Amino acid sequence: MNGQVSDSVTRRLLGAAAVGLGALGAGELLAAARGGSVLDGIGRLAADYAPVPVVETMVAQAGEHDKEMTRLGVALGGIAAAAGMALLPPRLRTPAAMAFGAGTAAAALRGANRSVPGAAGGLAAAALLRAGIRRPSRHELLWATAGTGMLAAAEVLVRRADLRYRELARRSGPRGAHAPVPEDGLGVEPGLSPLITPAAKFYVADVNSRPPRIDPVQWRLTIGGRVAHHLRLSLADLAEQAVEFDAVMVCVHNTAGSGRCGNARWLGVPLTALFDHAVPEAGATRLVTRAVDGYTISLPLERLRTGEWPGYLVIGMNGEPLPPEHGFPARVFVPGIYGQYSGAKWLTELELADDTHVDYWCKRGWPVEPLWVRPQARIDVASSGAAGSGKFTVAGVAWAPPHGVAGVEIRIDETEWLPVELGSELAPAAWRRWRTLVDLPPGTHTLQARVTSRSGEVQDAAQRAPFPLGPGGLHTVTVTA
Ligand SMILES: Nc1nc2c(c(=O)[nH]1)N[C@H]1C(S)=C(S)[C@@H](COP(=O)(O)O)O[C@H]1N2
Ligand SMILES: [Mo]
């Protein structure tokens, strides 16, 4: 008797989960056919409301696959929600399905792409869910197979639309001067990061599942708020005043040895030039950078205005316009400040404001004032020349923006620190490559690296989590000779 009951509950749950998968697939495909997404809207909602410990765990576990993990989590969550509905008394299932539809529609509309197709997809999914869940279905397999197929088809459509947009962005943005590829004298070392990180390999960190799409022809940057002259600038206007500079960008979640950092040749307009035109009024204390995805980050105005903190309105990267995922058409970047604090991608407006503005991350418990990048060294290569030999090449990158790298050292098995050879410096705010040869006795050894900045700051060896002040600790690798 008991066995029968739980058997039918399991069947109902599985049946409803299958219906959920089918409904989600249909909704996502409908949305994708018009360039939207149901999953991305819910993913963004989840990012906005997840408590700090959840976000921190997610970033630590998913690493650079956080966007894929979010999408997968959202899809599984949707299926689980559908299954849960099967446990409700029948009269509550329709209202539950309707609430699900309304919720996903609202999520799509406030997501980065403000997606009407996404909202339509959410409502369609809810209608299907309601129809499918009213009585136990005998077609689970059909629902599940169709759902999986439609989700896959939707993914193909969205990727195609992303590619088309990427091409549009590439053709319509300004380009850098295509200066010769810089050299640092270290030559080619297999496994060692290049001096300039190609845009396609550059880490992507933001609260969206996919980059928002912005029409570059219609786009204008407004500079407003407490200014004497309101400005509206096109990409072409900005390109006229842009200069190139080399700098490393680092995410505050970049724990020792990880890849949430990259070094690029940026093209940007010095913020001081924009302030010269707009003329901030007395009472303006913060520069608020606003983006299409609703993200805002603000910086103290005085330091930027005097140039003490050299900030840029960036419109290009490595001789090309900014790629969509890196903020096309424009972003603000202040070299030396962690990415989370150094300005928004996909800018719409620069607003000169007073101290009452509260930023996206500050609402979630992060400090109000910008966090400066802590000096960090990374080991990219630790390899022996010939098999059986104890001679190891150890090489990597190190950064200490804005002052620059004064020295890098490594140590074997936590003994004394040994200096290494440095590549020449591209710019103080850029990363610097390093390399050395060590002779290791047979056995297993740990290698660690640390950097010292030109301002005298030695990389902090104490292990510390990114929240709330940025990570601490040394990159440690284990090798066997
Ligand atoms: N509009 C917007 N800008 C943003 C973010 C965001 O979520 N939305 N994330 C910030 C964070 S946390 C980082 S580390 C950098 C990452 O820039 P990248 O993706 O080009 O490497 O962008 C910053 N700018
Ligand atoms: Mo970040």
Side-chain angles (χ1 to χ4, degrees):
M1 160 83 193
N2 240 335
Q4 259 174 10
V5 171
S6 63
D7 220 41
S8 78
V9 168
T10 312
R11 283 222 50 185
R12 251 197 308 164
L13 279 175
L14 285 178
V19 170
L21 178 54
L24 204 59
E28 186 69 359
L29 184 56
L30 186 83
R34 311 222 126 244
S37 166
V38 181
L39 298 181
D40 292 358
I42 307 174
R44 174 58 196 272
L45 195 70
D48 285 350
Y49 288 98
V52 163
V54 173
V55 176
E56 295 308 297
T57 309
M58 169 75 176
V59 173
Q61 298 302 319
E64 283 150 75
H65 299 289
D66 55 339
K67 296 193 192 307
E68 290 87 337
M69 295 301 283
T70 304
R71 273 209 288 282
L72 185 66
V74 167
L76 293 177
I79 293 165
M85 279 179 212
L87 297 179
L88 295 172
R91 73 195 150 77
L92 290 184
R93 289 182 202 162
T94 297
M98 283 165 64
F100 178 82
T104 51
L109 288 176
R110 63 184 282 294
N113 275 318
R114 308 230 183 271
S115 168
V116 173
L123 292 174
L128 266 177
L129 185 62
R130 176 180 169 272
I133 217 159
R134 279 207 296 194
R135 60 182 62 86
S137 159
R138 260 169 272 113
H139 308 291
E140 289 99 341
L141 207 60
L142 190 67
W143 279 99
T145 318
T148 310
M150 287 187 286
L151 276 180
E155 184 70 21
V156 170
L157 287 182
V158 174
R159 285 194 187 187
R160 273 209 206 139
D162 276 346
L163 279 178
R164 275 198 303 274
Y165 174 65
R166 169 180 302 281
E167 196 41 43
L168 170 80
R170 210 180 61 80
R171 276 186 281 110
S172 39
R175 278 154 205 289
H178 281 290
V181 180
E183 259 294 338
D184 66 354
L186 289 190
V188 178
E189 179 64 57
L192 176 59
S193 299
L195 200 45
I196 297 284
T197 313
K201 294 252 165 74
F202 203 99
Y203 83 99
V204 178
D206 57 74
V207 295
N208 312 298
S209 294
R210 292 174 216 266
R213 301 192 191 118
I214 297 165
D215 177 356
V217 179
Q218 301 289 319
W219 182 83
R220 294 289 180 276
L221 176 75
T222 54
I223 304 181
R226 297 171 175 245
V227 288
H229 309 290
H230 283 245
L231 303 178
R232 281 188 86 235
L233 302 168
S234 68
L235 260 180
D237 297 333
L238 292 163
E240 277 174 25
Q241 307 177 63
V243 295
E244 285 190 303
F245 63 98
D246 299 325
V248 62
M249 183 179 288
V250 187
C251 175
V252 72
H253 290 103
N254 193 68
T255 47
S258 58
R260 285 178 164 253
C261 58
N263 195 51
R265 174 157 291 178
W266 308 93
L267 176 73
V269 182
L271 292 178
T272 46
L274 296 177
F275 297 142
D276 285 347
H277 295 306
V279 188
E281 287 173 351
T285 53
R286 308 281 297 182
L287 173 72
V288 183
T289 67
R290 290 186 189 278
V292 288
D293 63 343
Y295 182 92
T296 68
I297 195 80
S298 71
L299 292 144
L301 177 62
E302 198 48 34
R303 314 301 256 298
L304 295 173
R305 201 178 172 176
T306 58
E308 186 192 341
W309 295 5
Y312 296 86
L313 184 105
V314 169
I315 52 176
M317 181 179 188
N318 300 346
E320 297 273 329
L322 282 175
E325 65 277 20
H326 296 300
F328 181 82
R331 69 187 301 172
V332 164
F333 176 33
V334 186
I337 294 181
Y338 281 120
Q340 173 169 310
Y341 281 95
S342 99
K345 308 193 269 191
W346 312 298
L347 275 185
T348 51
E349 186 186 2
L350 298 183
E351 185 197 337
L352 284 293
D354 59 21
D355 287 333
T356 54
H357 174 82
V358 185
D359 291 317
Y360 183 93
W361 287 111
C362 304
K363 287 182 194 146
R364 289 155 180 83
W366 284 84
V368 173
E369 287 312 320
L371 293 175
W372 285 84
V373 173
R374 291 174 172 263
Q376 222 182 45
R378 186 174 77 198
I379 301 169
D380 288 338
V381 180
S383 61
S384 62
S389 134
K391 288 210 183 339
F392 274 70
T393 298
V394 186
V397 288
W399 53 90
H403 305 289
V405 170
V408 174
E409 297 158 295
I410 66 162
R411 68 175 175 184
I412 302 158
D413 299 327
E414 307 206 6
T415 54
E416 84 276 32
W417 288 104
L418 312 162
V420 304
E421 180 197 356
L422 291 177
S424 59
E425 182 178 77
L426 203 52
W431 74 20
R432 201 158 171 183
R433 307 198 304 169
W434 58 269
R435 182 171 55 197
T436 194
L437 259 175
V438 293
D439 214 344
L440 297 174
T444 299
H445 305 281
T446 62
L447 297 172
Q448 292 177 306
R450 75 172 184 193
V451 58
T452 301
S453 87
R454 208 170 272 131
S455 63
E457 186 178 353
V458 182
Q459 181 175 348
D460 161 20
Q463 198 60 39
R464 203 179 54 196
F467 182 80
L469 295 172
L474 302 176
H475 189 201
T476 306
V477 301
T478 309
V479 294
T480 303

Short mmCIF file of all heavy atoms in Angstrom, two decimals, residues 205 251-253 260 340, ligand 2:
data_model
loop_
_atom_site.label_atom_id
_atom_site.label_comp_id
_atom_site.label_asym_id
_atom_site.label_seq_id
_atom_site.Cartn_x
_atom_site.Cartn_y
_atom_site.Cartn_z
N ALA A 205 33.53 38.84 -16.74
CA ALA A 205 32.84 38.80 -15.44
C ALA A 205 31.76 39.86 -15.41
O ALA A 205 32.04 41.04 -15.61
CB ALA A 205 33.83 39.04 -14.30
N CYS A 251 39.84 41.01 -11.75
CA CYS A 251 38.59 40.86 -11.00
C CYS A 251 38.92 40.68 -9.53
O CYS A 251 39.93 40.05 -9.19
CB CYS A 251 37.83 39.64 -11.52
SG CYS A 251 36.32 39.25 -10.61
N VAL A 252 38.07 41.22 -8.68
CA VAL A 252 38.30 41.10 -7.24
C VAL A 252 38.24 39.63 -6.79
O VAL A 252 38.70 39.29 -5.71
CB VAL A 252 37.31 42.01 -6.47
CG1 VAL A 252 35.89 41.45 -6.54
CG2 VAL A 252 37.73 42.24 -5.05
N HIS A 253 37.69 38.78 -7.65
CA HIS A 253 37.63 37.35 -7.33
C HIS A 253 38.84 36.56 -7.84
O HIS A 253 38.82 35.33 -7.82
CB HIS A 253 36.33 36.74 -7.90
CG HIS A 253 35.12 37.21 -7.15
ND1 HIS A 253 34.27 38.17 -7.65
CD2 HIS A 253 34.65 36.88 -5.94
CE1 HIS A 253 33.32 38.39 -6.75
NE2 HIS A 253 33.52 37.62 -5.71
N ARG A 260 41.09 35.19 -13.73
CA ARG A 260 40.17 36.32 -13.86
C ARG A 260 40.95 37.63 -13.93
O ARG A 260 40.77 38.55 -13.13
CB ARG A 260 39.22 36.36 -12.66
CG ARG A 260 38.14 35.31 -12.74
CD ARG A 260 37.26 35.35 -11.52
NE ARG A 260 36.04 34.61 -11.77
CZ ARG A 260 34.84 35.16 -11.96
NH1 ARG A 260 34.69 36.46 -11.88
NH2 ARG A 260 33.79 34.42 -12.20
N GLN A 340 35.43 45.18 -10.59
CA GLN A 340 34.12 45.41 -9.98
C GLN A 340 33.93 46.87 -9.58
O GLN A 340 32.81 47.35 -9.48
CB GLN A 340 34.01 44.50 -8.76
CG GLN A 340 32.80 44.72 -7.91
CD GLN A 340 32.66 43.59 -6.90
OE1 GLN A 340 32.71 42.42 -7.23
NE2 GLN A 340 32.49 43.93 -5.64
MO MO B 2 34.72 41.10 -11.00
#
